Amino acid sequence: APREAVGKGSARTHAASILRAMARAKRYWLFKSEPDVFSIQDLAKAPGKTTYWEGVRNYQARNLLRDDIRQGDGVLYYHSRVQPIGVAGLAIVSKSGYPDPDQFDKSAKYYDAKSDPEEPRWYCVDIKHVETFDGVVTLQALKAAPKLKDMMVVQRGARLSVQPVTKAEFDAVRKMGRALAK
């Protein structure tokens, strides 16, 4: 639109939204899922290649979903409790944290009778499929990569289902996953 058509209020609003976006840089995460519950292949087949990441019932992971994970953040999709265990692909956060609807649904697997709609206890985010690797970047391969020695998932006892990763770690794992192409 011509400059004359843009009111002063809209220019200020646009500038403010740009500043907010710049103030919070894209972040990166590792989300764990058991493939027999919901695999990267299930995400790729989901309507719109999107799902909500429900059922997190750990307060530390809940705080990340509620307070830190935002739309546009990158996700390493990790298959747990299966062989081989490891990163199976990539996703992106398509909707920032909001109350997990399953906590209020008595018929849902993740129903929580103590959760109050006025003060929700549990949160989720929406994620969208980006890429499925031709194989799995195994936990063993992650542990063997010197660049990933500080990554939370390779640390002993790191069982959190949602974990922060650095951009360098995300990029290294993505490169490893893409190298699996046949």
Side-chain angles (χ1 to χ4, degrees):
R3 186 179 269 302
E4 297 79 39
V6 177
K8 289 181 182 176
S10 356
R12 269 191 233 117
T13 303
H14 179 67
S17 69
I18 290 171
L19 289 173
R20 279 192 302 275
M22 290 171 56
R24 195 222 173 258
K26 179 175 181 171
R27 294 180 68 186
Y28 300 90
W29 309 94
L30 181 141
F31 283 21
K32 290 182 179 179
S33 180
E34 298 168 21
D36 61 334
V37 174
F38 201 82
S39 69
I40 188 89
Q41 291 80 9
D42 294 328
L43 180 60
K45 293 176 191 170
K49 296 185 176 192
T50 303
T51 193
Y52 67 106
W53 200 262
E54 92 286 5
V56 173
R57 297 298 183 262
N58 169 286
Y59 286 104
Q60 188 176 0
R62 183 273 321 256
N63 293 347
L64 293 173
L65 292 167
R66 183 189 65 197
D67 303 333
D68 297 320
I69 299 171
R70 296 286 176 254
Q71 183 177 351
D73 286 355
V75 174
L76 297 173
Y77 201 106
Y78 188 91
H79 283 174
S80 63
R81 296 185 188 214
V82 68
Q83 290 302 322
I85 189 171
V87 179
L90 307 173
I92 190 167
V93 177
S94 57
K95 184 177 180 182
S96 299
Y98 60 95
D100 182 341
D102 286 359
Q103 68 189 310
F104 309 119
D105 180 353
K106 289 181 181 178
S107 66
K109 179 179 179 181
Y110 299 110
Y111 172 67
D112 183 346
K114 295 180 181 178
S115 198
D116 177 358
E118 295 299 317
E119 292 185 42
R121 181 179 291 189
W122 305 112
Y123 281 74
C124 62
V125 297
D126 290 357
I127 64 168
K128 182 177 176 96
H129 179 268
V130 170
E131 180 177 351
T132 301
F133 297 148
D134 285 339
V136 173
V137 180
T138 65
L139 178 58
Q140 184 178 8
L142 297 173
K143 287 180 176 182
K147 289 182 178 180
L148 303 176
K149 67 179 176 49
D150 295 325
M151 193 172 178
M152 185 182 285
V153 75
V154 304
Q155 305 305 313
R156 191 170 189 87
R159 297 178 40 89
L160 202 57
S161 63
V162 175
Q163 303 176 3
V165 297
T166 66
K167 181 179 183 340
E169 291 165 345
F170 183 90
D171 290 345
V173 175
R174 178 176 53 199
K175 184 176 181 180
M176 292 168 75
R178 289 177 175 168
L180 298 170
K182 296 174 171 125

